[in-house]
Amino acid sequence: MRFTFRLCSILLALALGLPALAQQSGGTLIALVQPEPPTLASYLSTSGPIGQVSAKIYEGLLEYDFNLDPKPGLAKSWEVSEDGKTVTFHLQEGVTWHDGEPFTSADVKFSVEEVLSQVHPRGPNTFRELESIDTPDEHTVVFNLANPAPYMMRALSGYESPMVPRHLLEGTDIRDNDLANDPVGTGPFEFVEWAKGQYIRLDKNEDYWRDGLPYLDRVVLRFIPDAATRTAAMERGEVHMAAFGALPNVDVVRVREQDGIGVTTDGYSMINPMALLELDTTQPPLDNKLVRQAIAHAIDKQFIIDNIWFGYGKPATGAVSSNFASTGLYNPELPQYDGGSEVANQLLDEAGFPRDENGVRFSIMHDIIPYGEEWQRLGEYLKQALGDVGIELELRYEDVPTWLKRVYGDYDFALNSNFFYQLADPSIGVDRQYHSSQIRQGTVFVNSSRYSNPEVDELLNRAAMESDPQVRAELYHRFQEIVAEDLPVIPLFEMEFVVVYDERFKDLIASPLGAYGNFAEAWLDE
């Protein structure tokens, strides 16, 4: 096994122009990313494949420990005023962008006010209370807030709120800047090359501001469209890491028994992913909530977990993940859609959609998220399950850019499979899918269902700034009750992503962001 691994690694290294033999604390990490990202503009899109690459290049003001408590990042320290309305960050000194320009408070002000608050999918929500930013000197940044926003302090990582170079973006069309495919950050690895359809190469930042880091000499992100080939590459040692479903769970069950390969579900606690279905609530027949409820009843969530995701996950019971139970924000007392086809048929009859002579009530298109084979199997299951209650489902599977444009740019869909990160606080990860202010055509991973309910908006607005934990919990509980009935989104299951890795690589999962971390502390133990 080790001879095969060494030979394959050397051959791949030679093909990529990499050093064939790794140093004790350095070396080259080859990781799978599936699918290939459409761009590397993490300031424009929160698409998962983008984040797995860009988080090694761009950094945020803060990093986080496994308790989700903030640690220094580009900000070495910070203070929050007693009333919670002023947050002062003191920046690291001696930080430079990869092109040699200094990183200053002006970059932070520009990144937050002109980029994240304007064009980032979650930024307008994260910084909703921000009124202004002061920069009294090059290394001090003061956030002035209209109301306390404690959730904001958990959304300042390089993955979630990347700091970007003002000198390369200011005065340009941010959505059409070359930085999207030629990124320049302050992170531990510098962008070197993107061989489309093959790999992205990142090399060690020799001028990184954290002394002695990174340990790795290089990170190569490989793209292999075929699932069986990805698994074989992992088994042969041609790649060293796979996360976010890059290896199908059916293969993980086998691969995890192999010597030298480790498997963990750590590294996802800050993202709280939930698999779900988005429905177009503006057009018939899905504008009828009885139809949406019927679809939910027809779906067997546990079957999906057991037979498509091979046990990795737990049924979702509402709009907010049960992982928030410890904070009191999760409502465990919601009605459950588990009536099966009998209840689904009753609701569809009541909604006024009788079966025709072929047993079909109506036909709709299901757009499958193009993130792997499990999602295609989910589409096939939904076609059968909904077909049993008279809903004829057509399946459409496209590449990532086309899918994103169809769902979020053109609103040209009826039923869409997806997964959303609920992140470290519902104000950041949940509100964006239900608040009417998040109907932002052209912005990805927000309210594509175009659901609008003034009471929900008010509840979410109040909860975002509420400092009393009990009152905040009550507000979120009521929100969950309303959307459990309206059902603009059908929660399916709380996902458990798996990281598969070569055990010779240490400290790959060094934070609750897992593969979205920067790998600054990862190293190869030869």
Side-chain angles (χ1 to χ4, degrees):
M1 166 66 186
R2 286 305 176 194
F3 173 79
T4 302
F5 169 84
R6 298 284 290 178
L7 178 60
C8 291
S9 294
I10 290 170
L11 291 174
L12 180 62
L14 291 173
L16 296 175
L18 311 179
L21 299 178
Q23 298 175 358
Q24 171 73 16
S25 63
T28 295
L29 172 73
I30 303 173
L32 286 170
V33 172
Q34 174 60 30
E36 183 173 3
T39 75
L40 296 181
S42 57
Y43 48 90
L44 293 175
S45 175
T46 54
S47 173
I50 295 176
Q52 291 182 64
V53 181
S54 66
K56 286 74 178 154
I57 301 168
Y58 293 110
E59 296 182 292
L61 291 174
L62 301 178
E63 295 184 11
Y64 300 87
D65 63 22
F66 282 100
N67 294 320
L68 306 189
D69 293 325
K71 303 192 306 180
L74 288 174
K76 62 182 178 182
S77 63
W78 57 93
E79 301 100 31
V80 180
S81 64
E82 188 172 342
D83 64 3
K85 295 184 179 182
T86 304
V87 184
T88 303
F89 295 97
H90 304 282
L91 304 182
Q92 305 280 358
E93 298 181 8
V95 178
T96 59
W97 296 100
H98 294 156
D99 63 2
E101 291 294 317
F103 165 77
T104 71
S105 58
D107 291 303
V108 177
K109 179 179 173 67
F110 176 80
S111 295
V112 175
E113 291 185 340
E114 304 301 326
V115 181
L116 300 176
S117 294
Q118 303 297 325
V119 297
H120 187 272
R122 297 191 284 256
N125 208 28
T126 298
F127 301 107
R128 72 180 87 169
E129 298 298 337
L130 183 67
E131 290 191 322
S132 64
I133 294 179
D134 296 328
T135 55
D137 60 57
E138 289 191 344
H139 296 100
T140 305
V141 183
V142 182
F143 284 25
N144 302 303
L145 308 177
N147 296 287
Y151 57 87
M152 183 187 73
M153 297 301 290
R154 291 196 172 172
L156 299 178
S157 70
Y159 163 70
E160 182 62 26
S161 298
M163 295 294 102
V164 294
R166 184 185 68 156
H167 65 283
L168 296 178
L169 283 174
E170 190 172 34
T172 73
D173 181 351
I174 293 174
R175 294 183 182 273
D176 192 36
N177 189 286
D178 290 343
L179 198 70
N181 294 312
D182 190 10
V184 174
T186 61
F189 296 95
E190 299 184 20
F191 173 80
V192 175
E193 179 186 12
W194 188 345
K196 295 287 186 177
Q198 300 179 57
Y199 62 86
I200 289 174
R201 171 181 157 184
L202 310 178
D203 281 2
K204 177 177 183 175
N205 177 6
E206 299 289 352
D207 298 316
Y208 190 45
W209 56 271
R210 294 175 66 186
D211 290 341
L213 297 179
Y215 295 125
L216 293 174
D217 300 312
R218 185 166 294 149
V219 176
V220 176
L221 298 311
R222 286 191 64 188
F223 318 122
I224 303 176
D226 180 67
T229 305
R230 291 197 298 272
T231 300
M234 189 78 207
E235 292 178 303
R236 292 194 299 262
E238 294 174 6
V239 298
H240 310 129
M241 181 179 180
F244 293 102
L247 259 60
N249 285 1
V250 63
D251 291 339
V252 171
V253 174
R254 183 186 75 256
V255 170
R256 68 188 180 191
E257 303 301 323
Q258 188 168 315
D259 289 344
I261 292 182
V263 171
T264 181
T265 56
D266 291 342
Y268 300 105
S269 58
M270 200 164 192
I271 61 174
N272 291 310
M274 182 178 288
L276 46 85
L277 298 177
E278 296 175 293
L279 304 96
D280 183 354
T281 64
T282 70
Q283 301 291 333
L286 299 182
D287 60 341
N288 188 322
K289 74 177 180 181
L290 294 180
V291 173
R292 302 194 294 267
Q293 292 172 358
I295 291 173
H297 277 294
I299 297 170
D300 187 334
K301 299 175 182 178
Q302 193 62 54
F303 178 90
I304 293 171
I305 295 168
D306 292 342
N307 294 281
I308 302 177
W309 269 268
F310 289 84
Y312 287 103
K314 59 186 293 188
T317 61
V320 173
S321 170
S322 64
N323 291 337
F324 290 106
S326 62
T327 68
L329 302 181
Y330 165 70
N331 186 345
E333 305 297 331
L334 298 175
Q336 296 303 300
Y337 292 93
D338 52 10
S341 59
E342 180 179 353
V343 175
N345 278 311
Q346 292 173 357
L347 288 171
L348 290 168
D349 288 339
E350 183 181 345
F353 293 96
R355 294 177 183 264
D356 63 16
E357 63 275 11
N358 296 315
V360 176
R361 300 177 186 273
F362 56 80
S363 298
I364 56 175
M365 181 70 72
H366 172 52
D367 284 285
I368 303 171
I369 182 173
Y371 278 17
E373 286 67 22
E374 285 94 352
W375 297 99
Q376 291 176 278
R377 302 293 84 76
L378 173 62
E380 293 165 0
Y381 163 75
L382 293 174
K383 182 178 179 69
Q384 177 179 329
L386 299 188
D388 289 344
V389 298
I391 300 175
E392 186 176 66
L393 207 63
E394 297 181 57
L395 303 181
R396 182 163 54 196
Y397 191 80
E398 301 173 304
D399 61 28
V400 175
T402 303
W403 174 77
L404 288 172
K405 183 177 184 297
R406 181 182 298 281
V407 174
Y408 297 103
D410 301 335
Y411 295 139
D412 179 21
F413 77 99
L415 182 67
N416 172 53
S417 59
N418 210 334
F419 64 94
F420 266 53
Y421 295 159
Q422 300 204 345
L423 303 168
D425 190 282
S427 288
I428 309 167
V430 177
D431 293 18
R432 63 194 168 107
Q433 198 163 30
Y434 295 92
H435 200 294
S436 65
S437 69
Q438 297 304 299
I439 304 173
R440 301 163 55 204
Q441 189 167 8
T443 298
V444 300
F445 301 112
V446 288
N447 184 354
S448 67
S449 295
R450 290 176 283 173
Y451 173 68
S452 179
N453 184 319
E455 184 179 359
V456 164
D457 288 352
E458 177 63 19
L459 289 166
L460 296 179
N461 289 341
R462 291 173 57 194
M465 65 183 71
E466 179 57 59
S467 57
D468 185 316
Q470 180 60 39
V471 175
R472 191 167 193 247
E474 291 171 358
L475 293 169
Y476 266 112
H477 282 209
R478 176 55 184 153
F479 152 73
Q480 291 167 75
E481 291 171 359
I482 295 172
V483 298
E485 179 179 349
D486 288 353
L487 219 62
V489 173
I490 299 176
L492 294 178
F493 64 97
E494 297 171 12
M495 304 179 74
E496 290 181 349
F497 281 121
V498 182
V499 177
V500 184
Y501 62 97
D502 184 321
E503 291 182 324
R504 298 177 310 142
F505 284 87
K506 310 299 183 183
D507 297 327
L508 288 171
I509 307 301
S511 82
L513 286 166
Y516 289 146
N518 63 19
F519 289 178
E521 299 174 7
W523 56 285
L524 174 61
D525 184 10
E526 281 280 48

